[in-house]
Amino acid sequence: MKVLLVFVLISLAALASARKPFAARYDNFKVYRAFVEDNEQLVEFKKIHHHLQVHILHEIGGPNRSYDVIVGPLFQRAFEQVLHDLQVQYDIIVEDLQALLDESSVDEDAPMDWETYHPLDVIYDWVDEQCDQHVYLECQVIGHSYEGRPIKSVKLSKREGNKAIVIEGNIHAMEWISSATVTYILNQLINSEDEEMQRLSEEFDWIVMPMVNPDGFVYTHDVERLWRKNRRPNGYSNSSGPCYGIDMNRNFDYHWSGAGWGIEDPCDHWFGGDEPNSEREILALQEFVNSFEDGYIRAYLAFHAYGQYVLLPYGHTNTEFPPNYDQMMRIAAAFADAAEDAFGSVFTYGASGLLNYVVSGAAKDWAYGVKNIPFTCTVELRDKGTFGFFLPSNQITEVGVEVTEGLKSLVAKAVDEGIFD
């Protein structure tokens, strides 16, 4: 295949002012979905990353799958020509990215709800209010981010002797639906009059970290909506200047750096760091989890976007599986069935290295492989790609409802399977 590798340099630079940075805009930027059919196309598609800065929204795994790419208006014709030369089929799934982003309303002054996306201060204020109002909540700052923001946790415990479930949110900055869903679940556990949710809050302890990446999250609100990593300068630079950030879900010390596309490129979205456990946010999370006695935490759920998956260990391989993989599959199936009953959202479940792509250093694998927590997973929330990372805020409540229904069934099945024994 003769390939013309003339590609696009997508400028994602944000304007800055003395007071507060202006958010980057994406007027008339399109999102392309390119289907890479075979290994020959995949080889050439991967070369794009080595020669040009393009905003590819997915890690490049194997062939026979689609990848979403953002392209600015000045370069769309050239981009389409390259795909034509590669014989890569594509669709335009978003005609105007800024118009889509505008559908995800953010109200900086509104009190906490699940009808809009909120900035960090509103989320944290709500967490603090809940902690002040309920004696069964133990709230603490488990550490601070690189830029000095607190990383907060909430432990809900109404009865001695309970086993615990950990819920983690927004380790990836751009995945706003993650912290929105985690806080929705927490609100249901605290304030819902639903009998099943009340029972779950009585019979289990819940340890919730709604915002693992506060620096990156603030950056997505103030500067760059597409930011994924944390904001620590990582010591490298490219033609655009210094490079920032580590993908913290590639930084856990369990088969770290063994697999994954882009994890060794310091200026890419998926850079896993020069060494494992290099990020203070990850160390704070691990030290917090390590502070509990062995055997107390029986499930660890990390919430991400997007694709509607329940991803189980392992991520670093697609040929090896955990000893209790069949058991975890039954528990994941219970979640998927109940979540689908709510609004028809179909969740696929299985080992992440098998279903998604092979990648190392994720939280769920560390929780399973190092902490020996018998059920761990990454829940990839809505949707399957129509909106992707930019899910409109009018879907937040529906996502919360379907995930809560899935969680009820997940816990019930885990009990049946002896996870909490």
Side-chain angles (χ1 to χ4, degrees):
M1 183 192 307
K2 185 177 180 180
V3 178
L4 178 64
L5 281 176
V6 178
F7 228 107
V8 185
L9 175 63
I10 301 177
S11 176
L12 299 176
L15 297 175
S17 69
R19 286 188 172 182
K20 182 179 179 180
F22 294 102
R25 292 187 60 85
Y26 298 93
D27 298 282
N28 300 311
F29 277 62
K30 297 182 186 296
V31 181
Y32 291 78
R33 176 159 297 154
F35 182 75
V36 177
E37 184 176 26
D38 54 35
N39 282 317
E40 186 178 8
Q41 289 181 341
L42 183 68
V43 168
E44 299 299 332
F45 195 75
K46 282 184 174 181
K47 291 179 182 178
I48 296 165
H49 172 71
H50 298 297
H51 297 286
L52 301 159
Q53 280 187 313
V54 295
H55 206 108
I56 302 172
L57 289 172
H58 301 287
E59 288 151 298
I60 297 180
N64 196 35
R65 66 178 64 189
S66 297
Y67 300 97
D68 294 350
V69 185
I70 299 174
V71 183
L74 294 178
F75 312 108
Q76 287 158 8
R77 183 176 298 178
F79 180 80
E80 292 173 11
Q81 183 62 53
V82 170
L83 294 184
H84 178 268
D85 292 340
L86 285 171
Q87 300 179 25
V88 170
Q89 299 297 313
Y90 68 89
D91 294 307
I92 298 172
I93 61 171
V94 176
E95 288 285 349
D96 185 344
L97 179 57
Q98 188 61 46
L100 177 58
L101 294 178
D102 290 342
E103 292 182 34
S104 299
S105 59
V106 180
D107 191 335
E108 294 188 0
D109 299 318
M112 186 70 172
D113 63 12
W114 290 271
E115 302 295 334
T116 185
Y117 291 109
H118 296 282
L120 181 67
D121 288 348
V122 173
I123 296 171
Y124 273 2
D125 286 347
W126 176 81
V127 168
D128 292 344
E129 289 170 3
Q130 299 305 307
C131 294
D132 291 341
Q133 293 171 8
H134 302 282
V135 295
Y136 54 81
L137 298 180
E138 180 184 337
C139 305
Q140 65 183 96
V141 173
I142 65 172
H144 289 81
S145 65
Y146 173 78
E147 294 179 342
R149 294 183 176 89
I151 302 168
K152 297 188 176 185
S153 70
V154 180
K155 179 186 175 185
L156 185 159
S157 181
K158 294 183 177 180
R159 191 178 69 181
E160 292 186 6
N162 286 344
K163 298 295 186 179
I165 299 166
V166 171
I167 295 179
E168 164 224 299
N170 242 130
I171 199 170
H172 288 148
M174 67 193 298
E175 298 170 10
W176 289 2
I177 190 60
S178 170
S179 55
T181 302
V182 169
T183 52
Y184 182 95
I185 295 168
L186 180 59
N187 185 56
Q188 292 297 302
L189 289 166
I190 296 170
N191 298 311
S192 174
E193 296 181 358
D194 178 78
E195 291 184 2
E196 182 64 13
M197 291 306 292
Q198 290 180 351
R199 187 186 66 80
L200 290 178
S201 71
E202 292 281 350
E203 296 183 1
F204 302 91
D205 289 357
W206 297 82
I207 301 167
V208 181
M209 296 171 285
M211 184 62 62
V212 179
N213 186 3
D215 293 350
F217 186 74
V218 169
Y219 195 75
T220 63
H221 282 261
D222 290 349
V223 182
E224 173 55 78
R225 178 65 180 88
L226 307 183
W227 191 257
R228 174 182 174 94
K229 302 181 287 184
N230 69 355
R231 289 295 301 164
R232 179 178 69 84
N234 61 36
Y236 296 88
S237 62
N238 60 14
S239 59
S240 300
C243 299
Y244 289 81
I246 305 297
D247 183 338
M248 295 193 292
N249 206 42
R250 305 290 179 266
N251 193 240
F252 287 84
D253 192 8
Y254 186 74
H255 290 272
W256 173 82
S257 194
W261 184 73
I263 60 174
E264 297 178 352
D265 186 340
C267 300
D268 212 337
H269 317 297
W270 304 285
F271 178 48
D274 285 326
E275 59 184 357
N277 294 342
S278 61
E279 303 314 292
R280 62 183 62 184
E281 297 92 339
I282 296 307
L283 290 173
L285 183 155
Q286 292 183 6
E287 289 171 5
F288 179 57
V289 172
N290 287 335
S291 70
F292 299 102
E293 64 182 13
D294 292 343
Y296 169 62
I297 299 172
R298 308 301 292 168
Y300 188 110
L301 286 68
F303 284 89
H304 288 249
Y306 60 94
Q308 294 172 202
Y309 292 100
V310 182
L311 300 176
L312 305 172
Y314 298 116
H316 65 277
T317 176
N318 57 17
T319 58
E320 299 175 20
F321 300 90
N324 68 326
Y325 181 67
D326 290 343
Q327 180 189 57
M328 287 198 288
M329 283 288 285
R330 293 190 292 270
I331 297 169
F335 175 96
D337 290 345
E340 183 178 3
D341 286 345
F343 299 106
S345 298
V346 176
F347 284 79
T348 305
Y349 49 92
S352 60
L354 190 65
L355 289 184
N356 209 356
Y357 41 77
V358 177
V359 68
S360 300
K364 73 174 189 318
D365 289 342
W366 170 83
Y368 184 86
V370 176
K371 296 305 298 178
N372 298 313
I373 298 171
F375 181 84
T376 72
C377 70
T378 296
V379 179
E380 298 280 0
L381 300 163
R382 284 194 194 179
D383 57 7
K384 286 184 174 291
T386 301
F387 299 108
F389 292 116
F390 317 113
L391 193 74
S393 54
N394 61 13
Q395 294 192 37
I396 295 173
T397 297
E398 283 196 3
V399 173
V401 170
E402 68 191 10
V403 169
T404 300
E405 292 303 309
L407 187 60
K408 292 176 184 177
S409 292
L410 181 153
V411 174
K413 186 62 176 176
V415 170
D416 291 343
E417 292 284 345
I419 291 294
F420 294 98
D421 293 346

